[in-house]
Amino acid sequence: MSLSVVQGFSKSLAMTVLSEIGDKTFFAAAILAMRHPRRYVLAGCLSALIVMTILSAAVGWAAPNLISRTLTKHIATVLFLGFGLWSLWDAFHEGESEELAEVEAELDADLKASSETNRANGKGDDDAKKKNRPLFSQFFSPIFLKAFSITFFGEWGDKSQIATIGLAAAENPLGVVLGGIIGQALCQTAAVFGGKSLATQISEKFIALSGGVLFIVFGIQSFFATVES
């Protein structure tokens, strides 16, 4: 394995773990795993994050082919420094957020709406319901699809997705993908099997502080790499 792949892998792994622990999708996975079979929740959440990681890395890999590599590195530097300062601001000014409660409330509302819909349509038998399902839903568990959609759209446009794009533009995309996937697997497994008890024990202030420092370090490294080139 080349040095560039190892470097991209290590940076992506560290960034992913610090970005995803305590994130909205982390809490969503923990809560979903308490209400549904863990294997479906883990498969759905992890599949969504793997797809998102690959898409983000692909965009980052293509960026230097669309604009100059020097400009790409400058943009990556600004992104890393900006995200670092943003995370530090969150750590020192916002304190512990109520994101877990917000996610739980959203999922409760969704569960209530689904239950009301099922009661309204409860006159047909199971075979009729199965036939009326979309073709895609007949081959995948509804829990898998729910976990996948919640995680995918929850991550779309998130800070971690944009950071992955910037990292893939500055580092080896293969290393970034591998590190991101392993990092996502670790975080989602901890969320699914650790449950809500683990989620409530996470210090969001510490995670934000650690992530901010890491982003700033990446930004400084990217800056010096741009100057040297």
Side-chain angles (χ1 to χ4, degrees), residues 42 51 138 186 227 229:
L42 180 59
V51 171
Q138 294 185 30
L186 292 174
V227 172
S229 61

Tab-separated table of all heavy atoms in Angstrom, residues 42 51 138 186 227 229:
chain	number	residue	atom	x	y	z
A	42	LEU	N	-28.574	-1.634	10.978
A	42	LEU	CA	-27.149	-1.492	10.689
A	42	LEU	C	-26.890	-1.577	9.187
A	42	LEU	O	-26.125	-0.774	8.637
A	42	LEU	CB	-26.352	-2.583	11.416
A	42	LEU	CG	-24.836	-2.553	11.201
A	42	LEU	CD1	-24.247	-1.235	11.659
A	42	LEU	CD2	-24.168	-3.711	11.942
A	51	VAL	N	-22.428	4.502	0.421
A	51	VAL	CA	-22.771	5.146	-0.853
A	51	VAL	C	-22.401	6.628	-0.807
A	51	VAL	O	-21.818	7.174	-1.755
A	51	VAL	CB	-24.276	4.981	-1.157
A	51	VAL	CG1	-24.681	5.833	-2.363
A	51	VAL	CG2	-24.601	3.518	-1.429
A	138	GLN	N	-40.542	-4.831	-2.134
A	138	GLN	CA	-40.786	-6.262	-1.993
A	138	GLN	C	-39.498	-7.061	-1.847
A	138	GLN	O	-39.500	-8.172	-1.358
A	138	GLN	CB	-41.583	-6.774	-3.195
A	138	GLN	CG	-42.996	-6.205	-3.278
A	138	GLN	CD	-43.781	-6.823	-4.406
A	138	GLN	OE1	-43.565	-7.979	-4.767
A	138	GLN	NE2	-44.693	-6.056	-4.979
A	186	LEU	N	-17.387	1.521	12.146
A	186	LEU	CA	-17.141	1.558	13.588
A	186	LEU	C	-18.207	2.378	14.310
A	186	LEU	O	-18.754	1.955	15.342
A	186	LEU	CB	-15.752	2.148	13.858
A	186	LEU	CG	-14.549	1.303	13.418
A	186	LEU	CD1	-13.252	2.091	13.620
A	186	LEU	CD2	-14.495	0.000	14.198
A	227	VAL	N	1.689	25.528	-0.711
A	227	VAL	CA	2.847	26.444	-0.816
A	227	VAL	C	4.048	25.730	-1.434
A	227	VAL	O	4.746	26.246	-2.301
A	227	VAL	CB	3.205	27.008	0.568
A	227	VAL	CG1	4.528	27.789	0.498
A	227	VAL	CG2	2.089	27.900	1.076
A	229	SER	N	4.013	23.119	-3.395
A	229	SER	CA	3.799	22.773	-4.807
A	229	SER	C	3.845	23.997	-5.708
A	229	SER	O	4.004	23.879	-6.890
A	229	SER	CB	2.439	22.077	-4.960
A	229	SER	OG	1.383	22.915	-4.557
